Amino acid sequence: MSELTVARAPFLEMTPQQRQAHFTEWGYVLLPGVVTPEHIARIIAEEGGENRYDWIERWPGPAQEALITHPGLLEAIRLCYGADIRFFKSVYAEWREIDPENKARGRQRLHRDYDPDAPGHGDFRNSCAAWVNVGHYLIDLEVDEGPLWVVPGSHRLPWTAERAECEQWAGDARMVLARAGDAVMFHNRTMHAGGVMQSGLPRPSVFLSYRAGWAAPMGEVPEWPAEVVARASRELRPLLVGLNDGVRVDPYGVVPR
Ligand SMILES: O=C(O)CCC(=O)C(=O)O
């Protein structure tokens, strides 16, 4: 195992409280075996072949929808963010088209998922002060096959200065080699990057984003479609409604343009 690789074994032994402590300390935590092989097969059957789509464009099939309320996942998120949470964004991605610059680097540029300085953007979904991205990886990640890179502890770095250029922290970046069915929670300030599949094979993954109920986005965001909310289960519905509710706490020190 490369010294740049985070060992997976310790995560297998962690109690929920130890996972919470790891997330707080390092800004990410691996949750092993969240999705069963049978559930992965259903997701691939429903969605496989699609390069990438945002659920705001199209609500997914029932197998992906079921990920939102996975009990182990909700328990882990609520330990870190409190009982009142919202599910506000998801993307299904297979990364079939690889940017030549990313291929040469072996990964995307290190980044955070919201840049208040990006000119002219109008998507405020990732702008709230307290949220978590949960990457579900549906194949085994390897060193040259799509590792997730994280900069452990970078959620503690301030927004200002560092936000423009995360690559300066590349020397501290480590690979998380999730196995198929693992989920990785990473804090909204944790610098990270998706790794390239050098084989060129697809890398099916689903990213589910949840925020603390109080942490409103910094600008208006679309609500989930009314028909999705109307047929949602009793457990799911409270996670879906009120995506603009809460308090706008500006973590950036600037008003987003
Ligand atoms: O694919 C991954 O593991 C991370 C993806 C990512 O960070 C992004 O698309 O912004």
Side-chain angles (χ1 to χ4, degrees):
M1 192 169 62
S2 153
E3 72 210 23
L4 296 179
T5 304
V6 172
R8 181 174 178 275
F11 295 104
L12 301 171
E13 309 297 328
M14 285 183 189
T15 63
Q17 287 70 25
Q18 286 169 330
R19 288 185 184 144
Q20 178 199 6
H22 190 282
F23 181 78
T24 302
E25 180 69 17
W26 300 108
Y28 75 97
V29 69
L30 183 140
L31 309 176
V34 168
V35 189
T36 62
E38 180 272 333
H39 193 167
I40 292 176
R42 283 196 290 126
I43 294 173
I44 299 289
E46 273 177 10
E47 320 290 348
E50 186 94 56
N51 183 41
R52 183 181 197 279
Y53 68 94
D54 188 319
W55 292 16
I56 201 71
E57 298 155 18
R58 170 162 81 77
W59 191 258
Q64 268 196 96
E65 180 182 308
L67 293 176
I68 308 171
T69 49
H70 185 287
L73 184 57
L74 287 185
E75 180 193 31
I77 294 170
R78 286 189 162 124
L79 271 173
C80 298
Y81 287 83
D84 181 28
I85 54 174
R86 300 287 182 285
F87 167 73
F88 67 91
K89 182 178 173 184
S90 184
V91 171
Y92 176 83
E94 295 202 349
W95 296 104
R96 287 170 182 268
E97 290 154 19
I98 302 174
D99 177 273
E101 202 188 299
N102 288 344
K103 188 162 171 67
R105 192 188 299 108
R107 57 167 171 74
Q108 299 172 305
R109 293 181 78 77
L110 291 168
H111 60 277
R112 286 164 163 166
D113 282 332
Y114 184 69
D115 178 1
D117 294 330
H121 78 75
D123 184 351
F124 290 105
R125 286 178 298 171
N126 288 350
S127 69
C128 65
W131 67 275
V132 60
N133 211 352
V134 188
H136 292 268
Y137 295 96
L138 306 184
I139 57 166
D140 293 346
L141 306 183
E142 310 286 351
V143 169
D144 291 321
E145 293 290 277
L148 167 67
W149 289 83
V150 294
V151 180
S154 55
H155 62 313
R156 295 174 186 277
L157 294 169
W159 279 102
T160 47
E162 287 79 7
R163 72 181 171 223
E165 185 42 277
C166 297
E167 276 297 319
Q168 64 183 295
W169 303 100
D172 296 329
R174 296 291 177 271
M175 281 177 271
V176 181
L177 302 182
R179 313 297 292 171
D182 290 351
V184 182
M185 288 173 52
F186 47 97
H187 189 281
N188 62 306
R189 293 171 69 139
T190 300
M191 296 171 188
H192 64 278
V196 165
M197 299 286 287
Q198 295 296 352
S199 64
L201 290 169
R203 178 175 178 268
S205 48
V206 193
F207 296 89
L208 304 184
S209 304
Y210 302 78
R211 68 169 173 88
W214 58 264
M218 298 300 292
E220 185 85 10
V221 298
E223 298 288 339
W224 291 118
E227 64 274 18
V228 169
V229 174
R231 64 171 168 72
S233 65
R234 257 191 23 200
E235 193 187 16
L236 176 59
R237 190 168 302 140
L239 303 181
L240 300 182
V241 295
L243 296 192
N244 288 286
D245 292 356
V247 182
R248 285 185 185 171
V249 177
D250 178 0
Y252 313 108
V254 295
V255 176
R257 283 174 251 156

